[in-house]
Amino acid sequence: MKRLSHAAALTAILGGMVAGLAQAATAQLSNLPLSVETSDSLLTLTPAAIQKIYPAQSRPEAVFLTNDKKVTMGFEWRQVSLKPSEVSGLVNQFPAVIKSQVAGLKTLTPKLVTIQGIPWAQFVYTLAGKNGDLRREMLVTSAQGRMLILNVDSSVKDYSANDLAVRTFVNGVKVSQ
C-alpha cells in the first residue's frame, strides 16, 4: 500500500487543478453511487489532477481536500464483490492485510461504524513519517454489491488541525444502495 506524500505532491503540482466547493450543499458524484455534503471548507481535485497525481492502478474516483491541502479524502470503488452483510466481517479480516502491507505500522484500530445508516468497517492507523507520524483512515462499505473505500490521509498533526472538517465530510457521505 504505497501512498503518495500528499501534502508535498498536492502543493507542488496542483495549481489550478482544484476547485473550491461553494456553500454547503449535497453533491451527487456522477462516477460513484453516493452523494457528499460539500462546504466552503473543502476543495475537490479535478479529474485531470487525479490522473496526474495518482498511478493508474490505484487511482481514486473522487478526491477532496481540506482548504490547507493537508488532508486528502479519496473514494475508490473496486470491482471486488462485497455484500452489506459482509462489511462487519472486514473488521476482523483486514487488520492482517494492513499489517502485512504497511511498513512501519505503529498503531491500528479497527471498528465498525455507522454513517447515514450504512455500516462501514473503519481502520485507523499510524505509521512513522519523515516529518512526524502519518495518520491513515480507511473506511470500507458495500455499494451496489461492490466494495467502496474512503481513504483519509494526512499527518497526525494536520489531521488534528482539520478534524472537524474531515468528520463533517465523512458523516455527510450518503451511499446509494
Side-chain angles (χ1 to χ4, degrees):
M1 283 176 89
K2 187 171 188 250
R3 290 267 177 217
L4 191 61
S5 171
H6 292 293
L10 293 171
T11 302
I13 64 176
L14 284 181
M17 299 178 112
V18 296
L21 297 171
Q23 58 196 325
T26 301
Q28 179 68 41
L29 300 181
S30 62
N31 54 342
L32 292 167
L34 60 91
S35 62
V36 295
E37 292 295 320
T38 62
S39 75
D40 57 0
S41 65
L42 295 174
L43 304 168
T44 184
L45 287 184
T46 65
I50 293 171
Q51 187 172 2
K52 186 172 185 174
I53 293 171
Y54 293 92
Q57 69 273 15
S58 64
R59 185 173 296 141
E61 301 288 327
V63 178
F64 298 86
L65 311 165
T66 53
N67 275 337
D68 62 3
K69 300 178 185 147
K70 301 285 183 167
V71 182
T72 61
M73 296 156 288
F75 288 99
E76 296 177 43
W77 199 26
R78 298 206 178 150
Q79 294 295 327
V80 176
S81 174
L82 182 65
K83 297 175 186 170
S85 62
E86 298 172 327
V87 172
S88 63
L90 296 177
V91 174
N92 294 322
Q93 295 168 4
F94 264 39
V97 174
I98 293 169
K99 288 175 184 177
S100 72
Q101 293 182 354
V102 178
L105 189 66
K106 294 176 88 174
T107 65
L108 172 59
T109 306
K111 67 181 176 179
L112 187 66
V113 298
T114 302
I115 301 170
Q116 301 283 336
I118 304 291
W120 292 74
Q122 179 191 49
F123 307 93
V124 177
Y125 56 98
T126 59
L127 54 150
K130 289 181 183 177
N131 297 317
D133 288 348
L134 302 176
R135 182 191 186 280
R136 302 290 184 248
E137 179 175 353
M138 180 172 42
L139 292 147
V140 184
T141 196
S142 173
Q144 298 179 357
R146 290 171 49 187
M147 184 180 286
L148 177 67
I149 300 173
L150 171 57
N151 289 303
V152 180
D153 298 331
S154 67
S155 70
V156 170
K157 179 180 130 188
D158 293 331
Y159 181 85
S160 294
N162 288 285
D163 180 53
L164 181 60
V166 173
R167 288 296 112 214
T168 300
F169 175 80
V170 168
N171 289 327
V173 173
K174 296 176 188 160
V175 176
S176 306
Q177 296 294 338

